[in-house]
Amino acid sequence: MSHRAVHEEILRGGGRRWALEALADLGDLRAVRHPLGFICLPLERDGGEGVCLHLWSKAFTHADATTSQIHCHSWDLVSHVLYGQVRNVHVVVEDAGADATHRVFEVVSDTGGDRIEPTGRTVRHRTDLEEVFGEGDTYTLPADRFHSSVVPEDGEAATIALGRGRPGSHDLSLGPLGTPAHHITREHLDAAETARAARLIAEHLI
Protein backbone atom coordinates (compact mmCIF):
# COMPACT_ATOMS: atom_id res chain seq x y z
CA MET A 1 0.00 0.00 0.00
CA SER A 2 1.31 3.43 -0.93
CA HIS A 3 2.41 6.20 1.45
CA ARG A 4 -0.74 8.18 0.66
CA ALA A 5 -3.08 5.23 1.11
CA VAL A 6 -1.56 4.26 4.47
CA HIS A 7 -1.70 7.88 5.66
CA GLU A 8 -5.36 8.09 4.73
CA GLU A 9 -6.04 4.81 6.55
CA ILE A 10 -4.36 6.18 9.68
CA LEU A 11 -6.44 9.38 9.48
CA ARG A 12 -9.58 7.21 9.29
CA GLY A 13 -8.55 5.41 12.47
CA GLY A 14 -7.51 2.21 10.73
CA GLY A 15 -3.81 2.16 11.56
CA ARG A 16 -4.05 -0.88 13.83
CA ARG A 17 -6.10 -2.84 11.30
CA TRP A 18 -3.72 -1.95 8.47
CA ALA A 19 -0.69 -3.02 10.50
CA LEU A 20 -2.23 -6.40 11.32
CA GLU A 21 -3.02 -7.02 7.63
CA ALA A 22 0.50 -6.03 6.60
CA LEU A 23 2.07 -8.29 9.24
CA ALA A 24 0.02 -11.25 8.03
CA ASP A 25 1.55 -11.09 4.55
CA LEU A 26 5.26 -10.19 4.74
CA GLY A 27 6.35 -12.57 1.99
CA ASP A 28 10.15 -12.71 1.82
CA LEU A 29 10.64 -9.37 3.61
CA ARG A 30 13.54 -9.29 6.08
CA ALA A 31 13.58 -6.88 8.99
CA VAL A 32 16.64 -4.72 9.66
CA ARG A 33 18.42 -3.93 12.92
CA HIS A 34 18.54 -0.12 12.74
CA PRO A 35 21.43 1.81 14.35
CA LEU A 36 18.92 4.12 16.05
CA GLY A 37 17.83 1.28 18.31
CA PHE A 38 14.76 -0.26 16.70
CA ILE A 39 13.84 -3.10 14.36
CA CYS A 40 12.64 -1.83 10.99
CA LEU A 41 10.26 -3.75 8.74
CA PRO A 42 10.51 -1.91 5.37
CA LEU A 43 7.12 -2.55 3.81
CA GLU A 44 7.09 -0.14 0.87
CA ARG A 45 9.59 2.00 -1.01
CA ASP A 46 8.52 3.96 -4.07
CA GLY A 47 10.91 6.64 -5.23
CA GLY A 48 11.21 9.17 -2.42
CA GLU A 49 8.39 7.67 -0.35
CA GLY A 50 8.52 4.83 2.15
CA VAL A 51 6.34 2.94 4.63
CA CYS A 52 7.87 0.98 7.53
CA LEU A 53 6.94 -0.57 10.83
CA HIS A 54 9.34 0.26 13.67
CA LEU A 55 9.63 -1.97 16.74
CA TRP A 56 11.40 -1.17 20.01
CA SER A 57 11.70 -4.25 22.19
CA LYS A 58 14.10 -5.68 24.74
CA ALA A 59 13.46 -9.06 23.08
CA PHE A 60 15.92 -8.06 20.32
CA THR A 61 19.54 -6.98 20.56
CA HIS A 62 20.30 -3.49 19.28
CA ALA A 63 22.68 -2.53 16.51
CA ASP A 64 25.86 -0.78 17.62
CA ALA A 65 25.71 2.97 16.99
CA THR A 66 28.86 4.87 16.00
CA THR A 67 27.36 8.35 16.36
CA SER A 68 24.59 9.53 18.71
CA GLN A 69 20.82 9.16 18.72
CA ILE A 70 20.47 12.84 17.73
CA HIS A 71 19.76 13.04 14.01
CA CYS A 72 17.67 14.69 11.32
CA HIS A 73 16.00 13.21 8.26
CA SER A 74 16.13 14.17 4.60
CA TRP A 75 12.44 13.36 4.52
CA ASP A 76 9.22 14.50 6.21
CA LEU A 77 8.00 12.00 8.81
CA VAL A 78 4.52 10.93 9.81
CA SER A 79 4.63 8.53 12.77
CA HIS A 80 1.63 6.67 14.19
CA VAL A 81 2.08 4.95 17.56
CA LEU A 82 0.53 1.48 17.51
CA TYR A 83 1.33 0.75 21.16
CA GLY A 84 3.71 1.84 23.89
CA GLN A 85 5.13 5.31 24.40
CA VAL A 86 7.51 7.30 22.22
CA ARG A 87 9.16 10.57 23.28
CA ASN A 88 10.12 12.87 20.44
CA VAL A 89 12.89 15.11 21.79
CA HIS A 90 13.52 18.21 19.66
CA VAL A 91 17.11 19.45 19.77
CA VAL A 92 18.58 22.85 18.95
CA VAL A 93 21.99 22.54 17.29
CA GLU A 94 24.26 25.59 17.40
CA ASP A 95 27.57 26.08 15.60
CA ALA A 96 30.50 26.22 17.99
CA GLY A 97 34.27 26.55 17.75
CA ALA A 98 36.54 25.61 20.64
CA ASP A 99 33.50 24.87 22.81
CA ALA A 100 32.03 22.32 20.38
CA THR A 101 30.98 18.98 21.84
CA HIS A 102 29.93 17.19 18.63
CA ARG A 103 30.52 17.10 14.90
CA VAL A 104 27.77 16.90 12.29
CA PHE A 105 28.00 13.78 10.11
CA GLU A 106 26.23 13.14 6.83
CA VAL A 107 24.70 9.67 6.54
CA VAL A 108 24.57 8.36 2.98
CA SER A 109 22.52 5.16 2.80
CA ASP A 110 22.31 2.49 0.13
CA THR A 111 21.47 -1.20 -0.03
CA GLY A 112 24.84 -2.07 1.51
CA GLY A 113 24.46 0.09 4.60
CA ASP A 114 25.41 3.61 5.67
CA ARG A 115 28.45 5.71 4.83
CA ILE A 116 29.11 8.09 7.74
CA GLU A 117 30.95 11.18 6.49
CA PRO A 118 32.25 13.88 8.88
CA THR A 119 31.43 17.43 7.84
CA GLY A 120 33.32 20.58 8.80
CA ARG A 121 30.51 21.68 11.10
CA THR A 122 31.18 21.40 14.85
CA VAL A 123 28.37 22.18 17.27
CA ARG A 124 26.83 22.19 20.71
CA HIS A 125 23.24 21.13 21.32
CA ARG A 126 20.43 21.56 23.83
CA THR A 127 16.96 20.11 24.29
CA ASP A 128 14.24 22.43 23.02
CA LEU A 129 10.96 20.53 23.37
CA GLU A 130 9.97 17.06 24.50
CA GLU A 131 6.74 15.55 23.19
CA VAL A 132 5.25 12.32 24.55
CA PHE A 133 3.03 10.18 22.34
CA GLY A 134 1.08 7.05 23.24
CA GLU A 135 -1.10 4.43 21.63
CA GLY A 136 -3.19 5.85 18.80
CA ASP A 137 -1.32 9.17 18.58
CA THR A 138 0.03 10.45 15.28
CA TYR A 139 2.72 13.09 14.99
CA THR A 140 4.66 14.74 12.21
CA LEU A 141 8.24 15.93 11.95
CA PRO A 142 9.57 17.95 9.00
CA ALA A 143 12.87 17.18 7.32
CA ASP A 144 16.00 18.92 8.67
CA ARG A 145 14.75 18.99 12.29
CA PHE A 146 17.28 17.55 14.75
CA HIS A 147 15.68 15.24 17.31
CA SER A 148 15.88 11.86 19.00
CA SER A 149 13.16 9.24 19.42
CA VAL A 150 13.21 7.74 22.90
CA VAL A 151 11.32 4.77 24.29
CA PRO A 152 11.32 4.35 28.11
CA GLU A 153 13.94 1.90 29.37
CA ASP A 154 12.69 -1.69 28.97
CA GLY A 155 9.64 -0.26 27.21
CA GLU A 156 7.88 -1.91 24.31
CA ALA A 157 6.62 0.22 21.43
CA ALA A 158 5.80 0.03 17.74
CA THR A 159 4.98 2.69 15.16
CA ILE A 160 3.98 3.04 11.53
CA ALA A 161 6.57 5.36 9.98
CA LEU A 162 5.82 7.17 6.73
CA GLY A 163 8.57 9.10 4.96
CA ARG A 164 8.44 11.46 2.01
CA GLY A 165 11.78 12.77 0.71
CA ARG A 166 12.43 16.49 0.53
CA PRO A 167 14.78 17.54 -2.32
CA GLY A 168 17.94 19.23 -1.12
CA SER A 169 17.79 17.80 2.41
CA HIS A 170 20.33 15.41 3.93
CA ASP A 171 20.36 12.70 6.58
CA LEU A 172 22.55 14.01 9.40
CA SER A 173 23.70 12.77 12.80
CA LEU A 174 25.71 14.22 15.68
CA GLY A 175 28.76 12.26 16.78
CA PRO A 176 32.08 12.53 18.62
CA LEU A 177 34.37 15.24 17.26
CA GLY A 178 37.21 12.94 16.22
CA THR A 179 35.22 10.16 14.57
CA PRO A 180 36.58 9.42 11.06
CA ALA A 181 34.60 8.53 7.97
CA HIS A 182 33.41 4.93 8.11
CA HIS A 183 30.84 2.49 6.78
CA ILE A 184 28.14 0.65 8.73
CA THR A 185 26.58 -2.53 7.38
CA ARG A 186 22.97 -2.85 8.48
CA GLU A 187 22.19 -6.32 9.78
CA HIS A 188 19.20 -8.06 8.24
CA LEU A 189 17.28 -10.42 10.48
CA ASP A 190 16.76 -13.91 9.15
CA ALA A 191 13.31 -15.27 8.29
CA ALA A 192 12.72 -16.69 11.77
CA GLU A 193 13.70 -13.47 13.56
CA THR A 194 11.62 -11.38 11.17
CA ALA A 195 8.62 -13.61 11.84
CA ARG A 196 9.23 -13.28 15.59
CA ALA A 197 9.27 -9.49 15.33
CA ALA A 198 6.02 -9.56 13.34
CA ARG A 199 4.38 -11.88 15.88
CA LEU A 200 5.43 -9.64 18.75
CA ILE A 201 3.81 -6.61 17.17
CA ALA A 202 0.67 -8.54 16.22
CA GLU A 203 0.30 -9.97 19.74
CA HIS A 204 0.27 -6.45 21.18
CA LEU A 205 -2.35 -5.35 18.66
CA ILE A 206 -4.78 -8.26 18.89
Side-chain angles (χ1 to χ4, degrees):
M1 188 179 286
S2 70
H3 177 290
R4 179 178 178 179
V6 177
H7 193 193
E8 290 175 350
E9 189 68 19
I10 289 171
L11 293 176
R12 288 194 294 266
R16 176 188 292 260
R17 179 177 61 254
W18 175 85
L20 282 170
E21 291 175 354
L23 290 166
D25 185 23
L26 292 179
D28 59 358
L29 180 146
R30 295 292 180 269
V32 178
R33 219 179 298 276
H34 197 283
L36 289 175
F38 54 83
I39 301 299
C40 174
L41 286 82
L43 300 174
E44 181 70 32
R45 179 60 61 85
D46 183 11
E49 296 183 342
V51 180
C52 301
L53 289 174
H54 290 172
L55 167 67
W56 288 263
S57 174
K58 60 182 180 293
F60 291 87
T61 57
H62 294 171
D64 293 328
T66 58
T67 56
S68 74
Q69 297 294 303
I70 300 172
H71 64 285
C72 71
H73 307 137
S74 61
W75 36 274
D76 298 323
L77 169 70
V78 176
S79 183
H80 177 74
V81 182
L82 292 167
Y83 62 84
Q85 184 185 95
V86 177
R87 286 190 287 128
N88 187 35
V89 183
H90 295 257
V91 175
V92 175
V93 173
E94 300 167 329
D95 291 335
D99 294 330
T101 59
H102 291 76
R103 184 177 298 278
V104 177
F105 291 80
E106 183 173 359
V107 182
V108 181
S109 301
D110 58 29
T111 54
D114 303 313
R115 179 71 182 172
I116 314 298
E117 295 281 357
T119 72
R121 187 181 179 194
T122 57
V123 300
R124 297 179 66 86
H125 67 85
R126 57 182 171 84
T127 299
D128 180 42
L129 172 67
E130 184 172 318
E131 304 170 298
V132 180
F133 300 99
E135 181 177 325
D137 290 336
T138 302
Y139 65 94
T140 61
L141 186 74
D144 305 320
R145 183 75 58 84
F146 277 99
H147 69 288
S148 61
S149 299
V150 182
V151 171
E153 186 175 356
D154 292 333
E156 300 281 328
T159 64
I160 302 172
L162 309 178
R164 175 171 287 156
R166 183 181 293 186
S169 294
H170 302 276
D171 293 315
L172 304 175
S173 180
L174 300 190
L177 290 166
T179 302
H182 58 285
H183 186 271
I184 297 174
T185 301
R186 294 199 184 183
E187 179 187 351
H188 286 77
L189 279 62
D190 62 21
E193 286 183 300
T194 298
R196 185 161 67 94
R199 283 197 306 272
L200 183 59
I201 298 173
E203 287 168 359
H204 276 88
L205 296 180
I206 294 173

